[in-house]
């Protein structure tokens, strides 16, 4: 039977630091960079995504309204800005990649909804996440 002995934090730190090494920097073509480590952080000059965007096809609404029938006030295709703000009891039909309208804090998937005879939308699923990619999170 082999018995393992614990070493002190100081000894472990010393062992790691004694085996650490520093590498130099070099400029290489991008096509040769696979498996390499950047010497500096790369920062974007713009937010990605540039707006809060829907990650699913569905309905942009307020989470607090999901127990109610919601009036569909507009359809927002990808590539077009919303024309209306989402208010209480309202939602907007929205496509994947489209900007989320002001006032909405969730996008529910179309599969978790039903359009009623009145033309209103009713949430039929179980809420799990907002389905919104926040401005600048990439």
């Amino acid at each position: 039977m082999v018995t393992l002995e614990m070493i002190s934090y100081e000894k472990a730190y010393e062992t790691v630091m004694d085996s650490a090494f520093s590498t130099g920097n070099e400029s290489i073509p991008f096509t040769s960079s696979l498996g390499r480590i950047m010497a500096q952080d790369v920062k974007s000059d713009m937010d990605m995504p540039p707006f809060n965007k829907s990650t699913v096809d569905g309905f942009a609404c307020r989470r607090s309204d999901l127990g109610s029938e919601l009036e569909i006030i507009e359809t927002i295709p990808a590539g077009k800005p919303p024309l209306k703000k989402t208010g209480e009891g309202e939602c907007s039909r929205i496509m994947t990649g489209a900007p989320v309208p002001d006032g909405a804090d969730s996008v529910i998937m179309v599969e978790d909804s039903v359009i009623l005879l009145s033309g209103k939308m009713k949430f039929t699923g179980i809420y799990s996440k907002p389905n919104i990619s926040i401005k600048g999170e990439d």
Side-chain angles (χ1 to χ4, degrees), residues 11 16 24 48 81 84 89 115:
K11 179 64 176 165
V16 170
M48 283 308 292
K84 300 178 179 179
I115 304 298

Side-chain angles (χ1 to χ4, degrees), residues 42-62:
V42 175
K43 296 182 180 177
S44 175
D45 60 354
M46 61 186 281
D47 289 331
M48 283 308 292
F51 48 79
N52 292 345
K53 73 175 183 176
S54 175
T55 61
V56 296
D57 287 343
F59 295 91
C61 58
R62 299 172 354 148

Side-chain angles (χ1 to χ4, degrees), residues 17-37:
M17 294 310 291
D18 285 347
S19 62
F21 60 93
S22 179
T23 59
N25 296 340
E26 61 182 331
S27 293
I28 60 170
F30 176 75
T31 55
S32 300
S33 64
L34 183 63
R36 305 296 289 263
I37 298 171

Side-chain angles (χ1 to χ4, degrees), residues 2 8 21 27 69 74 76 87 98 114-115 118 126 130 135 137:
V2 175
S8 69
F21 60 93
S27 293
E69 296 176 3
E74 70 175 323
I76 309 166
V114 63
I115 304 298
S118 64
I126 297 172
K135 177 181 178 178
E137 79 176 12

Side-chain angles (χ1 to χ4, degrees), residues 51-117:
F51 48 79
N52 292 345
K53 73 175 183 176
S54 175
T55 61
V56 296
D57 287 343
F59 295 91
C61 58
R62 299 172 354 148
R63 182 178 182 193
S64 60
D65 288 340
L66 289 181
S68 306
E69 296 176 3
L70 304 178
E71 179 184 353
I72 302 168
I73 58 172
E74 70 175 323
T75 297
I76 309 166
K80 300 288 183 183
L83 301 175
K84 300 178 179 179
K85 179 178 179 175
T86 303
E88 184 177 350
E90 299 176 331
C91 68
S92 295
R93 183 176 279 114
I94 192 166
M95 309 308 160
T96 302
V100 175
D102 288 341
D105 62 6
S106 295
V107 177
I108 62 162
M109 294 192 303
V110 69
E111 296 90 340
D112 291 334
S113 65
V114 63
I115 304 298
L116 305 171
L117 291 175

